[in-house]
Amino acid sequence: MINVYLMPGMAANPSIFKNIKLPEETFNQHLLEWFVPSKGMSLEEYAIEMCTKITHTDVVLIGVSFGGILVQEMAKHIRTKKVILISSVKTKYELPKRMRLAKFTKAYKLLPTGLVTNMEVLGKYAFGETVTKRLELYEEYLSVKDKYYLDWSLDQMINWEQTEYNPNLVHIHGDNDPVFPIKYIKDCIPVSKGTHVMIINRFKWFNEHLPQIILE
């Protein structure tokens, strides 16, 4: 059996994977959840703590968005069979210009993360689109509303310093992703008309292709 651990994106809960069905005769699926970091915790320390929730060896790690950054950090501390990123980035150079600029201007510290009860604000930063039409949908998926966690996540993502990535990494990316535009992304499997939330609304593509991608 191949053990597959799935890490959701920033502020999202594991229900984003509820429609992802890998063949049960080959794969065991395990869902990981965000926890609120302790004060001053580094991304590496967070990744090491998250690794304690991995109870198998030679696992497949799949991370969405900021979760993709996290699983790359986790893979530096445990043995993995494969690491797969979805709607994410492999290095700081794949971050869009506005995020790279924000690192120097510290403008991200002004983002209204305190308004986490405002689902429209939270949805814009987590999913890259306004959510007025899909409020109930995003209230289901976006459940990590702790202000310290959100501030910490934005800070860690914008200040991520990785410059090189494992060549065995698999990166799946939508060609219509407004959070991490594909024009900045190198070496990926493109998904036609895929947005930042394609793990939710293009789950059939993943159910069709993920098994083979994992086994390759």
Side-chain angles (χ1 to χ4, degrees):
M1 277 298 220
I2 298 173
N3 289 288
V4 180
Y5 283 79
L6 300 129
M7 186 75 222
M10 183 177 74
N13 60 57
S15 68
I16 67 166
F17 301 114
K18 70 180 183 181
N19 291 315
I20 301 300
K21 311 287 186 194
L22 301 175
E24 293 181 0
E25 65 274 13
T26 308
F27 305 98
N28 276 331
Q29 290 178 226
H30 309 273
L31 302 177
L32 296 170
E33 294 189 58
W34 294 104
F35 59 89
V36 178
S38 54
K39 301 294 183 189
M41 196 176 212
S42 69
L43 185 60
E44 181 182 24
E45 290 167 338
Y46 193 99
I48 291 170
E49 179 66 25
M50 189 64 80
C51 283
T52 66
K53 304 177 191 308
I54 306 290
T55 55
H56 304 87
T57 55
D58 286 325
V59 300
V60 175
L61 293 178
I62 298 179
V64 176
S65 192
F66 182 50
I69 290 176
L70 180 63
V71 297
Q72 289 177 80
E73 293 296 321
M74 291 169 65
K76 296 172 183 177
H77 301 283
I78 58 171
R79 280 178 56 181
T80 57
K81 181 180 181 68
K82 187 161 283 187
V83 177
I84 299 173
L85 310 185
I86 298 169
S87 309
S88 190
V89 294
K90 299 183 291 296
T91 69
K92 66 178 184 179
Y93 304 120
E94 292 187 338
L95 291 169
K97 284 182 179 176
R98 61 187 168 80
M99 286 190 188
R100 283 182 277 169
L101 183 64
K103 177 179 178 179
F104 299 103
T105 62
K106 304 296 182 189
Y108 63 95
K109 292 185 180 295
L110 302 176
L111 294 179
T113 52
L115 301 174
V116 290
T117 51
N118 184 333
M119 292 305 296
E120 188 164 348
V121 171
L122 186 54
K124 185 155 176 53
Y125 289 110
F127 287 161
E129 50 188 74
T130 52
V131 300
T132 27
K133 290 182 181 174
R134 311 189 213 179
L135 203 53
E136 288 180 14
L137 185 72
Y138 292 137
E139 282 179 340
E140 175 187 352
Y141 294 124
L142 294 176
S143 62
V144 189
K145 302 178 185 179
D146 181 89
K147 184 182 186 316
Y148 183 77
Y149 161 80
L150 292 166
D151 288 340
W152 177 88
S153 297
L154 286 166
D155 189 72
Q156 297 301 324
M157 184 168 65
I158 286 167
N159 290 290
W160 194 44
E161 286 297 325
Q162 180 158 291
T163 57
E164 297 180 352
Y165 59 92
N166 188 323
N168 296 322
L169 195 76
V170 177
H171 188 170
I172 304 169
H173 210 85
D175 64 6
N176 195 27
D177 188 321
V179 177
F180 300 126
I182 198 167
K183 66 181 179 180
Y184 299 116
I185 305 296
K186 295 179 170 59
D187 303 323
C188 73
I189 299 170
V191 177
S192 177
K193 299 179 182 175
T195 67
H196 199 62
V197 293
M198 63 182 182
I199 192 66
I200 298 170
N201 58 26
R202 296 294 303 278
F203 65 88
K204 290 179 181 176
W205 186 97
F206 289 96
N207 288 341
E208 182 181 346
H209 294 93
L210 265 183
Q212 187 58 41
I213 290 171
I214 292 171
L215 293 171
E216 281 174 353

